[in-house]
Amino acid sequence: MLDGLAASIADKGYRATTVADIVRRARTSRRTFYEHFAGKEECFIALLSDTNGQMIRRIAAAVDREAPWERQVRQAVGAWIAASESEPALTLSWIRDVPALGTAARRLQRDMMEGFIVLVQQLCDTEALRAAGIRPVSRPVAIMLLGGLRELAATTVEDGGRIGDITETAVRAAVALLGPGA
């Protein structure tokens, strides 16, 4: 059912997607859908929870913590962009649609942002980064980095571009925000 929702979001967007669209794409029944989810929003929350958890693991695995710090930043940003670009409609929906949903979606948004904040802080707490004079990343700086990446990705997709087009800008901004003396 999660794949059915993701496919419908890619085709027509979250707002235009109905439970009928989800069950048709999932080749299941409404009854089965409602055995698992109270409604479309609950299914969306499950999809985003799963997708973001996978994304965090993918980014963490992509970074060679022994590499020079700028390469580590490039690897992390590149993995974030690759994951976002693999499902641009879902990425855009996550950024634009979730804030307009209810309390459960807002809680999801905060929890997922927290997961990414912790990831950034962990990735930036390595010997290579400390040796380069990079201090631990504060929560506000991590939020600024993540918020900037998200907004740049969203506007790029809305303007008809590919998320991969922002790679160099995103890497330069992350290096400037995280680098020595920042």
Side-chain angles (χ1 to χ4, degrees), residues 100-122:
L101 300 178
T103 303
R106 179 69 181 131
R107 191 170 35 257
L108 168 74
Q109 186 178 33
R110 290 189 60 89
D111 290 347
M112 289 295 105
M113 181 60 90
E114 190 62 35
F116 281 103
I117 291 166
V118 168
L119 175 66
V120 168
Q121 290 174 325
Q122 289 172 345

Side-chain angles (χ1 to χ4, degrees), residues 63-73 75 121-136 178-180:
V63 177
D64 175 3
R65 294 177 183 230
E66 304 292 319
W69 77 272
E70 288 172 318
R71 188 173 310 139
Q72 290 184 45
V73 171
Q75 290 168 338
Q121 290 174 325
Q122 289 172 345
L123 291 176
C124 291
D125 189 17
T126 67
E127 287 298 322
L129 274 75
R130 283 192 295 276
I134 297 173
R135 296 184 304 256
L178 301 172

